[in-house]
């Protein structure tokens, strides 16, 4: 029987951690320490060496980056066809063709989390300790990459420009696709989560949806981070859950920076239903 | 053939390895030879994308490099994918196939580095990238000696445990590699094209077992203060258990229970400390040992 593997794809800082927390609330409603459970393997990260090591059984620090990347398709197939839980893989890398994700043994499907790039820019700059101008350049660079030294917990990840990232994951394939906008999740989380559950083939009652939304609310996750920390917070950054707001770019970007992002990405912004209002 | 001793086992190898040399011995407990290796096992009871195991056997499939078959803890057969990949084969022999054979022979093998401090071993546990090798190297270049870099065989008796030395060289990535590589040593990559180098500390102990004094679980942090917690009971046992080398293979050899019992006894016999270490302190090992109470 063909197995399915769901890729939770997003450009960094677009809300995929929030979506993972929402899915956790749906699938394991009894879990109280949401962040701890997320970082201890509830959803795997396609670029993590821990995932690659577990799926291949090899010590990936002995592999070159090219070898590690080449082995990942086998690791995806393994994750889909075994009980290694769960079959949801977070991925930030640019879409690299359907062949890189699947094989005759599995059917990949894609949840793509999109967010207004003006807000992404503010969040990513803080997350990567980058200045805003540099981050604007980074998001427009087709060769942009999250570089990691050899032996780091995550492999280097090719992102490309923000527009190309969105286009690759939402237009350049025929895989089953569900696009979720951060702003819609913010405005009507229960409705969006119900849509996600339907896409994943989960039959869930409305009370459980609402309970998952409460458990994954920004205030709840930020409080949990304050109390117990979050291992995915990058060193040097005071908090992972920074603002969790829509349109906070209005307080953080200069008009010139906002206009530059809109100019670089306007067709994709419009495709996703964002207005050009800087 | 080359003769070595590692994990207390005499090895006769067709491959040159970065291990303690031993006099040629006709009674090697482990033999490493070149020969045909099947693409898959007949009745695998454990499978991963590139490894499989069944009773007495483990198969490592390294695409483009080699297939390696580990047989009953006594023999390792290597079929290289092509000529000229001997360094790559050696890297996987050291880090995976030999520890696998030692575990197959019924010994407890942990994913750990270790150094000899005085006459006792201090071992470092932690996920890949947590600084295990760097701490072992910094100790070995501060007047102590290197015991293990990747895998550590531990023999547990009633109230104590012994560590068997693994290797005389530690593998480091830049910038640590350039910091520790002595000027009279050529940088030798563990594999062609890989930014990871063998670094051989000046002193190398006799490859005989040393009593294990402390197990330290490393949790690296970018900054902040060094913080330690002494773990006891189930917490200590879980830390040891999580450090078992290639644990998914043990079930196929009916060794899971034996390993679990050994972990429990080890956690009772040797103090286990969890330590949050700022990156800057990984190169000042005495501070770390002091923090872990090693000198108490």
């Amino acid at each position: 029987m063909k197995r399915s593997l769901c890729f939770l794809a997003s450009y960094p800082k677009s809300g995929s951690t929030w979506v993972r927390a929402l899915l956790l609330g749906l699938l394991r409603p009894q879990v109280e320490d949401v962040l701890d459970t997320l970082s201890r393997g509830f959803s795997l990260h396609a670029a993590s060496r821990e995932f690659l090591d577990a799926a291949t059984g090899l010590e990936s620090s002995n592999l070159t980056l090219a070898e590690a990347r080449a082995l990942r398709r086998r690791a995806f197939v393994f994750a889909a066809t075994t009980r290694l839980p769960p079959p949801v893989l977070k991925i930030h890398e640019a879409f690299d063709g359907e062949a890189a994700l699947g094989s005759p043994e599995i059917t990949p499907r894609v949840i793509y989390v999109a967010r207004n790039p003006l807000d992404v820019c503010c969040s990513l700059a803080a997350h990567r300790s980058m200045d805003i101008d540099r981050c604007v350049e980074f998001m427009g660079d087709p060769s942009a990459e999250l570089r990691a030294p050899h032996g780091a917990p995550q492999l280097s990840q090719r992102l490309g420009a923000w527009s190309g990232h969105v286009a690759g994951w939402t237009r350049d394939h025929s895989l089953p696709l569900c696009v979720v906008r951060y702003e819609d999740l913010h405005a009507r989380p229960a409705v969006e989560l119900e849509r996600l559950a339907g896409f994943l083939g989960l039959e869930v009652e409305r009370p459980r949806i609402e309970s998952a939304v409460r458990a994954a609310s920004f205030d709840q996750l930020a409080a949990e981070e304050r109390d117990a920390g979050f291992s995915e917070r990058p060193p040097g950054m005071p908090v992972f859950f920074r603002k969790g707001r829509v349109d906070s770019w209005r307080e953080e970007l200069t008009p010139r920076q906002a206009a530059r992002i809109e100019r670089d990405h306007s067709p994709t912004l419009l495709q996703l239903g964002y207005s050009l209002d800087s | 053939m080359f003769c070595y001793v590692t994990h207390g086992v005499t090895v006769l190898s067709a491959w040159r390895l970065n291990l303690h040399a031993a006099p040629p011995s006709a009674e090697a407990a482990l033999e490493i030879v070149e020969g045909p290796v099947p693409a898959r096992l007949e009745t695998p009871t454990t499978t991963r994308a590139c490894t499989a195991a069944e009773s007495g056997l483990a198969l490592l499939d390294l695409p483009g490099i080699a297939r390696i078959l580990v047989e009953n803890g006594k023999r390792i057969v290597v079929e290289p994918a092509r000529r000229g990949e001997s360094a790559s084969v050696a890297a996987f022999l050291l880090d995976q196939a030999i520890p696998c054979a030692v575990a197959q022979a019924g010994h407890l093998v942990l994913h750990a580095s270790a150094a000899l401090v005085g006459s006792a071993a201090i071992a470092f546990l932690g996920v890949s990238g947590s600084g295990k090798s760097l701490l072992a190297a910094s100790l070995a270049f501060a007047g102590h000696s290197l015991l293990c870099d990747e895998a550590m065989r531990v023999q547990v008796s009633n109230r104590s445990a012994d560590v068997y030395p693994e290797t005389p060289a530690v593998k480091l990535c830049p910038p640590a590699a350039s910091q520790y590589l002595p000027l009279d040593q050529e940088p030798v990559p563990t594999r062609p094209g890989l930014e990871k180098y063998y670094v051989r500390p000046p002193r190398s102990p006799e490859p005989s077992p040393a009593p294990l004094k402390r197990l330290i679980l490393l949790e690296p942090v970018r900054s902040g203060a060094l913080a330690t917690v002494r773990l006891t009971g189930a917490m200590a046992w879980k830390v040891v258990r999580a450090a078992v080398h290639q644990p998914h293979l043990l079930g196929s050899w009916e060794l899971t229970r034996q390993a679990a019992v050994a972990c429990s006894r080890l956690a009772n016999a040797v103090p286990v400390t969890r330590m949050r270490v700022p990156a800057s302190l990984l190169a000042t090992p005495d501070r770390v040992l002091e923090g872990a109470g090693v000198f108490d």
Side-chain angles (χ1 to χ4, degrees), chain A residues 17-148:
Chain A
T17 302
W18 187 14
V19 174
R20 287 157 65 212
L22 287 164
L23 292 177
L24 175 64
L26 275 191
L27 297 167
R28 297 192 203 164
Q30 72 283 8
V31 166
E32 288 181 359
D33 42 359
V34 175
L35 297 183
D36 193 49
T37 308
L38 285 185
S39 44
R40 286 179 191 275
F42 165 70
S43 63
L44 300 162
H45 193 316
S48 93
R49 293 208 301 122
E50 190 183 357
F51 162 66
L52 193 61
D53 289 4
T56 62
L58 298 181
E59 170 64 43
S60 64
S61 68
N62 279 328
L63 300 171
T64 63
L65 183 59
E67 287 170 342
R69 281 180 171 154
L71 276 182
R72 283 203 316 173
R73 198 176 64 84
R74 288 172 69 166
F76 295 157
V77 173
F78 179 80
T81 54
T82 66
R83 289 183 298 164
L84 189 74
V88 175
L89 264 174
K90 168 178 166 168
I91 187 165
H92 283 322
E93 287 168 84
F95 184 72
D96 195 24
E98 290 183 25
L101 301 181
S103 78
E105 297 110 297
I106 62 167
T107 308
R109 58 176 66 193
V110 176
I111 295 172
Y112 189 78
V113 187
R115 186 182 187 186
N116 186 337
L118 293 111
D119 279 338
V120 169
C121 181
C122 303
S123 185
L124 183 63
H127 189 80
R128 305 283 298 177
S129 302
M130 216 186 264
D131 74 51
I132 295 272
D133 283 329
R134 168 80 193 94
C135 196
V136 172
E137 292 287 337
F138 182 83
M139 290 179 64
D141 179 0
S143 63
E145 191 171 342
L146 295 178
R147 288 205 185 87

Side-chain angles (χ1 to χ4, degrees), chain B residues 11 60 147 151 214 236 253 275 288:
Chain B
V11 179
L60 311 181
L147 290 173
R214 189 64 57 109
W253 312 323
M275 179 173 273
V288 174

Side-chain angles (χ1 to χ4, degrees), chain A residues 118 121 131-137 249-250 252-264 278:
Chain A
L118 293 111
C121 181
D131 74 51
I132 295 272
D133 283 329
R134 168 80 193 94
C135 196
V136 172
E137 292 287 337
W249 64 268
R250 293 181 190 282
E252 298 186 57
L253 298 183
T254 64
R256 184 184 55 79
Q257 289 164 335
R260 168 73 190 275
I261 294 172
E262 288 192 347
R263 195 180 71 228
D264 285 354
S278 70

Side-chain angles (χ1 to χ4, degrees), chain A residues 153-173:
Chain A
Q154 290 186 0
L155 303 171
S156 292
Q157 298 164 73
R158 287 183 289 232
L159 297 180
W162 180 85
S163 285
H165 197 279
V166 175
W169 281 105
T170 62
R171 290 207 310 251
D172 297 350
H173 61 82

